Amino acid sequence: VLAVGAIFWITTFKMMDRDFWWHIKAGEIMLKTRHLIAVEPFSFTRAGQPYLATYEWLAQMTLYLIYHFGGYVGIILFRGVIASASVGLLLLLSKRWRFLYLVLAVWAVVMTKGSYLERPQLFTFISFSAFLLLAFLYLDAQSFRSRVKICCGFFVIQLLWINLHGGAALLGCAVVTFLFLQTLVNAIDRQRRYQSMRSAWLLLGTLFFLGLALFSPPNGLKTVSYLHHLL
């Protein structure tokens, strides 16, 4: 409780990100028009050109609604909750050396405080932490049914993640891919071969559905192809 409380206190600093204002304005425009923004409405140098930030449409709407109903304080508290939850999920990965991990977690948040800004990337922090926790739970799961439920969790989070922060959701695909490779390594052990191969097929199916989720945003696969244009 003290560690999570400290993380919450560290990350509830005043609003500093100037991009926040056009993020919430974009969210307001989309909520009022009930359409994605197609043409750049803010930048003079890109007037008349396609609006590029469509990949984080759901995050912009969410941030606008929080600001609309909670104001500055609501946004700052929301940031603190997301930061605390993200690190809290990571602290659940292992029960060994828990005290050391608590200290390291608080120190890490102090060192990366500037990353916890009121931006759509907040949703990537908590989504990635959730994926890692589910991956560890999958490795520890004793029944096939439990693994199926965890894979359903992967899909639900991926569906939200791709609409909140676009191509960053490819990190989720990477986590499940490593899980898949781990099950193939486990299949080398003859005593666990049947169980491992069954698990491998399950993860392969999960990767297929995670790939389908990449097409779920209103602008389709452009959400992911934007990464190519960005880099």
Side-chain angles (χ1 to χ4, degrees), residues 24-43:
I24 63 169
K25 190 62 181 178
E28 180 185 8
I29 291 172
M30 287 185 284
L31 281 169
K32 289 184 176 179
T33 62
R34 298 186 180 182
H35 290 286
L36 288 181
I37 299 173
V39 180
E40 175 61 54
F42 306 122
S43 173

Side-chain angles (χ1 to χ4, degrees), residues 89-90 93 127-138 154 175:
L89 290 175
L90 294 178
L93 294 181
S127 298
F128 187 56
S129 294
F131 255 80
L132 288 176
L133 179 59
L134 287 178
F136 274 67
L137 292 175
Y138 186 94
F154 281 136
V175 171

Side-chain angles (χ1 to χ4, degrees), residues 33-110:
T33 62
R34 298 186 180 182
H35 290 286
L36 288 181
I37 299 173
V39 180
E40 175 61 54
F42 306 122
S43 173
F44 173 77
T45 56
R46 286 188 53 81
Q49 296 187 48
Y51 178 65
L52 296 178
T54 52
Y55 62 91
E56 46 196 10
W57 66 278
L58 186 56
Q60 291 172 337
M61 288 185 183
T62 303
L63 290 173
Y64 167 71
L65 288 173
I66 294 171
Y67 178 76
H68 178 73
F69 291 105
Y72 304 101
V73 175
I75 290 292
I76 292 171
L77 293 178
F78 175 73
R79 185 213 297 142
V81 168
I82 291 291
S84 302
S86 300
V87 180
L89 290 175
L90 294 178
L91 288 171
L92 295 175
L93 294 181
S94 175
K95 294 181 180 179
R96 298 181 62 189
W97 303 101
R98 179 64 58 85
F99 179 76
L100 176 61
Y101 292 157
L102 290 173
V103 175
L104 287 173
V106 174
W107 174 77
V109 171
V110 170

